[in-house]
Amino acid sequence: KGGVPTIACASRLTEMVQGLTVADALTIRRDAIIESLDGLPPASHHAAQLAVDALRASLQAAHPQERGTLAAPRIYVADAGFY
Protein backbone atom coordinates (compact mmCIF):
# COMPACT_ATOMS: atom_id res chain seq x y z
CA LYS A 1 0.00 0.00 0.00
CA GLY A 2 2.67 2.53 0.91
CA GLY A 3 5.19 2.12 -1.88
CA VAL A 4 3.44 3.55 -4.91
CA PRO A 5 1.72 6.48 -3.13
CA THR A 6 4.96 7.42 -1.36
CA ILE A 7 6.91 7.45 -4.62
CA ALA A 8 4.14 9.41 -6.36
CA CYS A 9 4.03 12.02 -3.59
CA ALA A 10 7.80 12.43 -3.46
CA SER A 11 8.00 12.70 -7.24
CA ARG A 12 5.24 15.31 -7.38
CA LEU A 13 6.84 17.25 -4.56
CA THR A 14 10.12 17.48 -6.48
CA GLU A 15 8.16 19.02 -9.36
CA MET A 16 6.36 21.42 -7.03
CA VAL A 17 9.49 22.78 -5.32
CA GLN A 18 11.61 23.32 -8.40
CA GLY A 19 12.50 27.01 -8.63
CA LEU A 20 10.96 27.94 -5.27
CA THR A 21 12.83 29.68 -2.52
CA VAL A 22 13.56 27.61 0.56
CA ALA A 23 11.05 29.73 2.48
CA ASP A 24 8.34 29.08 -0.12
CA ALA A 25 9.12 25.36 -0.28
CA LEU A 26 8.70 25.14 3.48
CA THR A 27 5.09 26.33 3.11
CA ILE A 28 3.99 23.36 0.98
CA ARG A 29 1.38 21.30 2.80
CA ARG A 30 0.26 17.70 2.53
CA ASP A 31 -3.08 18.71 1.03
CA ALA A 32 -1.39 20.53 -1.85
CA ILE A 33 0.41 17.35 -2.87
CA ILE A 34 -2.76 15.27 -2.57
CA GLU A 35 -4.70 17.80 -4.65
CA SER A 36 -2.02 17.99 -7.32
CA LEU A 37 -2.23 14.19 -7.71
CA ASP A 38 -6.01 14.45 -8.15
CA GLY A 39 -6.45 12.81 -4.77
CA LEU A 40 -5.20 9.79 -2.89
CA PRO A 41 -7.12 7.16 -0.96
CA PRO A 42 -7.51 8.31 2.66
CA ALA A 43 -5.36 5.39 3.82
CA SER A 44 -2.49 6.80 1.72
CA HIS A 45 -2.59 10.42 2.90
CA HIS A 46 0.34 9.67 5.18
CA ALA A 47 2.50 9.32 2.05
CA ALA A 48 2.05 13.02 1.27
CA GLN A 49 2.89 13.94 4.86
CA LEU A 50 6.00 11.78 4.71
CA ALA A 51 7.18 13.65 1.59
CA VAL A 52 6.55 17.03 3.25
CA ASP A 53 8.33 15.97 6.45
CA ALA A 54 11.35 14.72 4.50
CA LEU A 55 11.53 17.94 2.48
CA ARG A 56 11.35 20.12 5.58
CA ALA A 57 13.96 18.11 7.43
CA SER A 58 16.39 18.18 4.53
CA LEU A 59 15.91 21.89 3.80
CA GLN A 60 16.22 22.88 7.44
CA ALA A 61 19.40 20.81 7.76
CA ALA A 62 20.90 22.26 4.57
CA HIS A 63 19.77 25.87 5.08
CA PRO A 64 19.22 26.51 8.81
CA GLN A 65 19.98 30.20 8.36
CA GLU A 66 17.36 30.61 5.63
CA ARG A 67 14.20 29.89 7.60
CA GLY A 68 11.71 32.58 6.73
CA THR A 69 14.17 34.63 4.69
CA LEU A 70 12.71 36.14 1.55
CA ALA A 71 16.11 36.14 -0.17
CA ALA A 72 16.58 32.40 0.31
CA PRO A 73 18.28 30.43 -2.43
CA ARG A 74 16.15 28.71 -5.01
CA ILE A 75 15.78 24.95 -5.21
CA TYR A 76 16.97 23.11 -8.28
CA VAL A 77 16.27 19.42 -8.74
CA ALA A 78 18.74 17.44 -10.80
CA ASP A 79 17.42 14.70 -13.03
CA ALA A 80 19.02 11.50 -11.80
CA GLY A 81 17.88 9.61 -14.88
CA PHE A 82 16.01 6.91 -12.97
CA TYR A 83 12.79 6.00 -14.74
Side-chain angles (χ1 to χ4, degrees):
K1 259 186 174 178
V4 173
T6 301
I7 293 168
C9 290
S11 179
R12 181 55 56 97
L13 184 57
T14 62
E15 295 170 357
M16 293 171 70
V17 300
Q18 198 155 22
L20 295 181
T21 64
V22 171
D24 288 341
L26 289 169
T27 66
I28 294 175
R29 301 282 182 244
R30 171 182 88 158
D31 294 339
I33 297 171
I34 294 169
E35 184 178 318
S36 74
L37 291 170
D38 294 326
L40 284 173
S44 296
H45 284 193
H46 68 282
Q49 188 62 52
L50 179 63
V52 168
D53 291 345
L55 174 70
R56 287 184 185 148
S58 62
L59 289 177
Q60 289 172 351
H63 302 282
Q65 73 283 2
E66 303 297 341
R67 291 184 199 166
T69 302
L70 295 177
R74 297 205 176 268
I75 299 169
Y76 298 97
V77 179
D79 180 359
F82 300 111
Y83 296 98

